[in-house]
Amino acid sequence: HVQLVESGGGSVQPGGSLRLSCAASGGSRNSLAWFRLAPGQQREGVARINTRGGGTLYLDDVKGRFFISLDSAKTTVYLEMNSLKFEDTGMYYCAASRNVGAGLTPFSYNYWGQGTQVTVS
């Protein structure tokens, strides 16, 4: 059973930066991803990284601004967020999938963290 614990959210002005962290333990987690949920919107995938090989996938809107990475022990996944915009505001969730190269759709993921709030204002 995979456990995921996010941290690093907060409030930032437009144009600022934040780094989110997700501590992962247990189970099979071949893909790790970040999703976000804004009020009145559906949960959307932001970025994914394969734990084997490190292949990444990004939502078009965050390409060049957000960067996902994994520590060498493959127990912590990071989301570096730069040039933040108002529309980046939302609850950010870490997710794990047993599948390699999982897409950015929620149904591809088996385990979820509790989320960390990011507010750009």
Side-chain angles (χ1 to χ4, degrees):
H1 186 73
V2 178
Q3 291 186 316
L4 303 166
V5 180
E6 304 97 334
S7 61
S11 295
V12 64
Q13 292 183 343
S17 298
L18 279 175
R19 188 175 81 156
L20 306 183
S21 300
C22 172
S25 60
S28 176
R29 45 188 195 273
N30 290 310
S31 295
L32 291 169
W34 287 95
F35 284 76
R36 65 187 179 190
L37 180 62
Q41 298 187 19
Q42 294 185 340
R43 190 174 299 196
E44 67 176 352
V46 174
R48 181 268 290 149
I49 188 166
N50 293 331
T51 57
R52 301 178 187 180
T56 57
L57 178 67
Y58 291 94
L59 178 70
D60 283 349
D61 183 60
V62 306
K63 285 180 180 177
R65 299 191 298 123
F66 291 12
F67 300 94
I68 190 169
S69 61
L70 192 63
D71 72 339
S72 58
K74 300 181 182 180
T75 58
T76 304
V77 59
Y78 303 97
L79 185 68
E80 183 76 30
M81 305 186 294
N82 302 307
S83 302
L84 282 161
K85 306 175 183 179
F86 292 117
E87 51 265 41
D88 293 319
T89 293
M91 186 71 77
Y92 282 69
Y93 297 89
C94 182
S97 173
R98 291 187 287 266
N99 300 325
V100 176
L104 290 176
T105 51
F107 67 78
S108 297
Y109 293 81
N110 313 101
Y111 304 99
W112 295 85
Q114 294 300 307
T116 185
Q117 178 68 35
V118 171
T119 302
V120 184
S121 64

